[in-house]
Amino acid sequence: MQFDRPRQGAVLAGLALRAGRPVRQDELVRTVWGQEPPPSATGNLHTYISELRKILGEPQVLHTDRDGYRLDVRVEDVDALEFDSWVDRAAHAWSGGAVETCFDAVDRATELWTGAPLPEIAGPVADAERRRLEDRWLALRKLRVQALLTTSQVAEAVAECTSLTHAYPLDERVAVLHSTSLYRAGQVAEALGKLDTFRRRLREETGTQPGAEADELYEQMLTGDVDTVSTATSPSTSDGRSATPDSSPRAVRPAQLPHRPWGFVGREHETAELSHPADLPIVITGHAGIGKSALACQVAHELAPRFPDGQLYLSLGGSERTSVPPMSELLDHQLLNLGVHTDDLPGTVEQKAARWRSLLTARRVLVVLDDAADAEQVARLLPEGTTSAAIVTSRSRLSTLDKVRRVPLPALEPDAAKRLLIGGCGTPLDVPLSDPRVARIVEVCGYVPLAVRAAAVLLAEADTVRQFTLRLRNHENFLELLSPGDNDSESSVLAGLEHTTRTLSAPALALLTRLSSRIGEEEHIAGLPREHEPVALAELVESCLLDHLGGDRYRVPALVRRYGRLLTRAGTR
């Protein structure tokens, strides 16, 4: 595809490298013009987008998405992304000793390589992506040499290394592979001479000396230690540990799931349904304390045996925006967990995310994304394809995420809430489930697991059930009573609701307090100025503070309603 303007191609490249995911306008501007764009950048971007829509034609695949744009194509339609996927599959097959599968993946990746990537595309991100893809191409070719040596295709290995040495004369790993290939072909003098030439050239052009690998190989060839030289390029090392090629991830099988939640009760329907995963990511949503993380962890443990390449757990810090980890730092940590060497970590966030998704595509991994802040954060981390799966939890509905399976989580059933109250503090309480005051306590708690657990701890400390029930009934702010001393957003329903309502607009907060003052469980929304009603309603539903029951019927969850009344009494409007 030819472009009249180089920067127009950079816009398309920036969108294509995030295939199917929204790209903010300011990100696209930085992609094309760098960190200091000219004043005309935004206007030019709009022009490029308009022209790209005409070039791409119908059906339209370039869409406006919130404050940015989305190119709605598959990974398979973007050569750079598909190339990444096959490189990772090749490395994974190699690390597992599946040499033939590795060869097949190498061939598929090689078919996609048609020369310098992103030709005639300008911009800093395109430059960085070119360097990254070329590094991966070199790693793939080194891997092919190792696979050739493992299968005794020595002549082909020598030919491949001759080409590599010409293109990368100062790469130590290439020099080592070349000398190893020559040695295996019986050309001992040539093998030693190649390492001598590499050592001299490295010293003259860079002022450095070869590393330990080159020195060790040289000594092995001098002493005729054939076994050591031959096994240096096999899929496994002499002690049986899995070995991987340079720049390729090691065979790491992470097991990061937290322990199963103690005292887990109820949720039989949800657990049974979610333990048979579909191809789509699971997104569990609900307000603070409703039990999203506990259900996700329980289901993840049920599913874990189906994902033999490991389970990853990422706490995304959405319940407290100030604790949201930087995406670059989070991705670096997880890429290391998947076996990527520190020296091979990609440079930009988009490159890291692409590598992350590519690695997951090549493996069967279960990913739990707990406490997501927003849809954009999650979109970067969701695995693609059907080999890996994801479970997401959030206090937001994440409505802008496409192709996910949403599970809005309701309160517990009354019987399950009573069982949780009796056993929720670790040691079962000597209180019969049939005691009517038990039913009253869990009703006051709104059947919300976090509130019920807090009540269980307080009930264990009380002299009698009657004493605690009276205290709960007479306390001016029972939500405050049910909050622990540290009162953080993850362990306190009150703190969680306070955090969520702080993010609301004034009309949405006013609507919440207004609805909370009503007595009924289900409400017909009326009497609000029409220009504000749809926006405020949508905001409350998105924040999981209002359940949409269909049509013009809505319900404020029990504890949210009681919190809203506290706001009304405090004078919040």
Side-chain angles (χ1 to χ4, degrees):
M1 186 178 293
Q2 297 294 320
F3 299 100
D4 295 334
R5 302 167 180 160
R7 296 194 189 280
Q8 188 180 57
V11 172
L12 181 59
L15 291 166
L17 293 172
R18 290 274 300 278
R21 289 177 166 76
V23 185
R24 293 199 314 270
Q25 180 174 287
D26 61 322
E27 288 184 80
L28 270 179
V29 168
R30 288 195 298 272
T31 294
V32 179
W33 286 276
Q35 295 300 320
E36 298 181 359
S40 60
T42 301
N44 288 340
L45 176 63
H46 293 159
T47 300
Y48 297 154
I49 291 291
S50 177
E51 292 174 349
L52 283 172
R53 285 196 169 110
K54 296 175 184 176
I55 293 171
L56 294 172
E58 297 293 340
Q60 194 60 250
V61 294
L62 179 50
H63 305 284
T64 300
D65 189 290
R66 288 186 295 172
D67 58 345
Y69 304 95
R70 182 182 78 255
L71 188 65
D72 204 4
V73 296
R74 304 170 304 166
V75 169
E76 293 81 1
D77 296 325
V78 182
D79 285 352
L81 299 182
E82 190 177 9
F83 173 79
D84 265 332
S85 177
W86 284 113
V87 173
D88 285 326
R89 292 184 196 187
H92 185 58
W94 170 264
S95 69
V99 180
E100 290 305 318
T101 303
C102 174
F103 270 127
D104 290 340
V106 168
D107 290 342
R108 295 294 295 272
T110 302
E111 289 171 5
L112 292 165
W113 190 268
T114 57
L118 304 176
E120 301 180 8
I121 303 297
V125 170
D127 292 339
E129 186 67 11
R130 264 189 290 273
R131 290 192 295 271
R132 186 189 71 83
L133 288 170
E134 287 168 353
D135 286 344
R136 302 216 76 198
W137 171 238
L138 174 57
L140 185 77
R141 295 184 67 183
K142 294 174 186 176
L143 173 55
R144 183 171 184 271
V145 172
Q146 292 186 266
L148 288 169
L149 289 170
T150 298
T151 53
S152 299
Q153 300 178 66
V154 178
E156 276 197 62
V158 171
E160 180 76 6
C161 284
T162 300
S163 173
L164 281 172
T165 301
H166 179 74
Y168 305 97
L170 297 179
D171 188 295
E172 180 171 345
R173 185 63 176 153
V174 168
V176 167
L177 288 171
H178 196 182
S179 290
T180 301
S181 303
L182 290 167
Y183 186 96
R184 293 280 299 278
Q187 302 175 46
V188 179
E190 289 85 350
L192 291 167
K194 286 296 180 184
L195 278 187
D196 282 331
T197 300
F198 171 73
R199 179 181 290 105
R200 183 175 62 256
R201 187 165 189 171
L202 194 66
R203 183 177 63 252
E204 292 173 352
E205 297 189 22
T206 70
T208 60
Q209 296 290 334
E213 186 178 20
D215 288 341
E216 289 173 8
L217 176 61
Y218 195 85
E219 291 299 322
Q220 290 163 4
M221 291 191 296
L222 284 175
T223 59
D225 194 347
V226 179
D227 291 338
T228 305
V229 173
S230 63
T231 58
T233 53
S234 65
S236 298
T237 58
S238 58
D239 62 0
R241 291 180 291 106
S242 179
T244 55
D246 183 55
S247 300
S248 299
R250 301 182 302 278
V252 176
R253 291 177 174 80
Q256 298 179 355
L257 293 181
H259 292 297
R260 288 178 183 266
W262 60 270
F264 188 82
V265 299
R267 308 298 191 200
E268 290 85 359
H269 173 72
E270 291 90 348
T271 303
E273 181 182 358
L274 298 179
S275 295
H276 299 281
D279 292 341
L280 298 178
I282 297 167
V283 178
I284 303 172
T285 64
H287 69 70
I290 204 70
K292 304 177 292 298
S293 298
L295 176 61
C297 187
Q298 182 75 6
V299 170
H301 277 281
E302 296 295 326
L303 294 177
R306 305 182 193 185
F307 296 91
D309 292 326
Q311 304 84 44
L312 295 168
Y313 175 86
L314 291 77
S315 180
L316 300 181
S319 59
E320 291 289 352
R321 292 298 178 118
T322 56
S323 67
V324 177
M327 182 59 67
S328 178
E329 178 182 310
L330 189 150
L331 284 168
D332 277 349
H333 180 69
Q334 292 303 328
L335 287 173
L336 293 172
N337 286 333
L338 287 174
V340 177
H341 192 275
T342 305
D343 295 339
D344 300 323
L345 291 173
T348 69
V349 171
E350 292 313 318
Q351 291 166 356
K352 296 175 196 292
R355 186 79 189 278
W356 156 266
R357 293 191 298 269
S358 188
L359 285 171
L360 293 181
T361 300
R363 308 182 186 196
R364 292 187 58 78
V365 176
L366 178 62
V367 182
V368 177
L369 305 175
D370 193 23
D371 193 21
D374 52 44
E376 181 181 3
Q377 183 190 45
V378 172
R380 295 179 186 235
L381 298 170
L382 287 179
E384 295 171 337
T386 59
T387 56
S388 293
I391 303 175
V392 183
T393 73
S394 180
R395 294 181 188 176
S396 166
R397 279 181 48 80
L398 307 180
S399 296
T400 56
L401 275 183
D402 295 326
K403 300 176 183 177
V404 298
R405 179 185 179 189
R406 286 188 176 78
V407 183
L409 200 58
L412 288 171
E413 293 294 327
D415 285 347
K418 288 192 285 185
R419 295 199 307 274
L420 181 59
L421 179 70
I422 298 303
C425 64
T427 302
L429 302 176
D430 187 17
V431 180
L433 282 173
S434 57
D435 189 322
R437 285 167 294 199
V438 170
R440 174 57 183 157
I441 291 170
V442 295
E443 180 187 6
V444 170
C445 292
Y447 310 109
V448 172
L450 188 58
V452 173
R453 285 188 184 277
V457 174
L458 294 172
L459 182 57
E461 297 171 351
D463 293 335
T464 64
V465 179
R466 178 176 179 275
Q467 180 191 58
F468 175 71
T469 307
L470 288 173
R471 183 184 176 197
L472 190 63
R473 181 190 305 166
N474 296 330
H475 200 282
E476 182 179 353
N477 181 354
F478 78 91
L479 282 173
E480 187 177 85
L481 177 67
L482 295 176
S483 298
D486 53 3
N487 200 30
D488 66 82
S489 184
E490 293 185 358
S491 59
S492 161
V493 177
L494 176 60
L497 292 175
E498 286 174 342
H499 169 262
T500 303
T501 54
R502 280 198 298 270
T503 67
L504 295 178
S505 66
L509 185 58
L511 179 58
L512 177 64
T513 57
R514 181 174 183 175
L515 294 176
S516 298
S517 65
R518 302 181 182 183
I519 302 301
E521 289 285 330
E522 298 178 9
E523 298 297 345
H524 177 93
I525 305 302
L528 196 70
R530 300 298 300 179
E531 63 270 20
H532 296 306
E533 180 177 327
V535 176
L537 285 176
E539 189 175 345
L540 291 179
V541 172
E542 183 66 20
S543 300
C544 298
L545 298 175
L546 189 66
D547 299 330
H548 187 196
L549 306 177
D552 57 1
R553 291 172 52 246
Y554 297 81
R555 177 178 59 217
V556 184
L559 288 194
V560 176
R561 185 169 63 249
R562 287 164 185 167
Y563 176 69
R565 291 172 183 168
L566 290 174
L567 293 178
T568 302
R569 288 200 296 270
T572 302
R573 295 292 186 269

